[in-house]
Amino acid sequence: MNILIWHVHGAWTTAFVQGPHSYLVPVLPDRGPDGLGRARTYQWPESVREVPPEQLAREPVDLVVLQRPHEAELAEAWLGGRRPGRDVPAVYVEHNAPAGNVPDTRHPFADRDDLLLVHVTHFNRLFWDCGGTATTVVEHGVVDPGHHWRGDLARAAVVVNEPLRRGRVTGTDLLPGLAEAAPLDVFGMRTGDLAERLGIPWERCRSYDLPQARLHDEMARRRVYLHPVRWTSLGLSLIEAMHLGMPIVALATTEAAEAVPEEAGVLSTRPEVLARATARFLADQDAAAEAGRAARHAALERYGLKRFLDDWDLLMEEVIR
C-alpha cells in the first residue's frame, strides 16, 4: 500500500514505517511541523519517501494516516481535492491522553462516520469521549534495542522532553524530592538548566540532550529507570527501557499500571514509595537485574515490533475494504 503519513512522533513513526508498505512523508522547504520529511535521528528504511505537497496530487494513495486535527484539511488540499475518509480511506491515530475536562474531554474527531479512530492505549480509549466515531486500539511497538542493561552507574535514568515547560504533566515538580533519595540523570530536549531551575545540586540531578544513537547506551548504564510522569499516553521511552532490561519505578498513572507487571519493578501513586524503591534498586544490583529481565520479557510479549506491525496490517486491510 501507499500510505500518506506526517512525521509527527519520531519514535512511533520509526516503528510504523518498518512495515512492508510505501510511506509518503510530506516535506516542506523549511522542514517545519507540517513538512519534517524523513527522520534525521532515527533509522528509517528506503520505503519512506519524502514528497513535496505539489507532488502529492499525482501520487496514488491507498490510506491516509492522520495524527493532528488540521491534517484532514491539509490532506484534501495536497491530494488534489481527495477527501480523507470519503475519497481515500483514512484513520486518525490519537497519541495523547485527553487534556482539559477529563473524563468528559470531547475528541475533535468525535461523531465521525468516515474514518476509524485508533488509540495507542486502552486508557486513552476509555477516557476520550469519541461519540459515535468507531474506535479501536493498536498498542505501541518498538524496534528492539536489545538487552543492553549493565547498571554500572548507581543512578536513576529519567527520559523527558521539555520538563520545565511541561511541569506537573511530566512530574517535574517531583524531581527535587526524588533526587534526595537517588541521584538522577535526566535525558531529553531542553533539560540543560533543569537542576539549577529546580534548586537541585548538579550531582543529584544531571541532565543530557543526547542524539538518539547514544541514548539507549547511556540509559542502559543507569541502575534503574524512573518514570515520574503524571499524565501521558504511555511514554515510548518507558517501553524502550523495559526492552533494554532496566528495572522500572513509575507512577501508577494512565497506562503505566497496565504496561509494567509487578515483577518488573515498583509502581505507586505515592512519590515516597517511588523514592524508597529507587534507592533499594540502587543498593541491590542483583535485584535490579532480576526485575529488568522481567521487564524485558513483558515488553517483548506485549510491545514487540512484529505484533505491532501485524495489528496494523490487519486494521489497514479492514479499513481499505
Side-chain angles (χ1 to χ4, degrees):
M1 287 183 277
N2 291 323
I3 300 170
L4 172 61
I5 181 169
W6 275 262
H7 176 187
V8 178
H9 297 281
W12 182 88
T13 311
T14 296
F16 184 77
V17 299
Q18 303 302 315
H21 310 289
S22 296
Y23 305 91
L24 309 178
V25 178
V27 63
L28 293 169
D30 64 355
R31 292 189 179 269
D34 290 331
L36 277 174
R38 286 177 56 91
R40 298 179 175 183
T41 57
Y42 293 90
Q43 293 294 321
W44 284 8
E46 293 302 315
S47 55
V48 183
R49 183 160 55 93
E50 293 183 344
V51 184
E54 60 272 16
Q55 184 179 327
L56 276 170
R58 302 189 298 272
E59 294 285 346
V61 173
D62 300 303
L63 178 72
V64 178
V65 177
L66 304 169
Q67 301 170 83
R68 298 168 297 176
H70 73 279
E71 289 178 358
E73 292 185 4
L74 276 183
E76 182 177 348
W78 292 357
L79 290 173
R82 285 174 286 174
R83 297 165 298 172
R86 299 294 184 188
D87 305 309
V88 58
V91 298
Y92 187 102
V93 180
E94 180 50 72
H95 293 280
N96 301 315
N101 189 27
V102 179
D104 297 319
T105 315
R106 189 80 165 163
H107 196 277
F109 275 62
D111 290 328
R112 295 282 293 260
D113 62 0
D114 57 346
L115 52 74
L116 177 66
L117 208 162
V118 185
H119 295 284
V120 297
T121 71
H122 291 276
F123 179 92
N124 287 4
R125 186 186 195 183
L126 177 67
F127 271 74
W128 273 109
D129 175 10
C130 298
T133 304
T135 65
T136 191
V137 177
V138 177
E139 293 191 302
H140 286 302
V142 302
V143 178
D144 182 12
H147 191 170
H148 295 309
W149 179 85
R150 300 191 303 280
D152 53 303
L153 294 179
R155 303 180 66 88
V158 180
V159 179
V160 60
N161 288 323
E162 301 187 74
L164 291 168
R165 179 183 66 81
R166 297 166 72 190
R168 287 177 57 84
V169 169
T170 55
T172 306
D173 58 303
L174 303 177
L175 295 180
L178 293 168
E180 292 180 5
L184 312 178
D185 285 338
V186 183
F187 301 93
M189 296 167 53
R190 297 182 178 88
T191 56
D193 58 349
L194 181 65
E196 180 181 359
R197 294 278 296 275
L198 295 178
I200 308 173
W202 167 254
E203 180 56 29
R204 303 300 294 184
C205 184
R206 304 187 304 208
S207 56
Y208 307 87
D209 185 354
L210 300 178
Q212 187 69 21
R214 287 186 54 199
L215 177 60
H216 289 156
D217 285 341
E218 292 298 330
M219 288 172 62
R221 295 194 62 196
R222 274 64 185 177
R223 188 73 48 85
V224 60
Y225 184 80
L226 178 61
H227 190 68
V229 180
R230 278 191 179 88
W231 192 256
T232 186
S233 180
L234 179 61
L236 284 173
S237 58
L238 171 63
I239 300 174
E240 290 168 349
M242 294 172 69
H243 274 79
L244 288 167
M246 300 184 73
I248 306 299
V249 175
L251 280 177
T253 56
T254 64
E255 190 78 358
E258 283 281 327
V260 183
E262 182 178 357
E263 62 271 19
V266 175
L267 284 87
S268 176
T269 55
R270 297 166 59 188
E272 63 272 21
V273 172
L274 302 191
R276 291 195 296 267
T278 303
R280 284 199 304 272
F281 278 129
L282 295 191
D284 190 342
Q285 193 164 358
D286 290 339
E290 182 178 358
R293 285 191 292 269
R296 175 167 170 79
H297 176 76
L300 289 173
E301 286 288 311
R302 185 163 184 173
Y303 301 108
L305 183 64
K306 184 178 185 305
R307 191 277 311 155
F308 173 77
L309 294 175
D310 287 348
D311 285 356
W312 265 107
D313 278 349
L314 288 172
L315 183 149
M316 290 189 290
E317 289 173 7
E318 292 176 6
V319 170
I320 289 175
R321 280 203 302 268

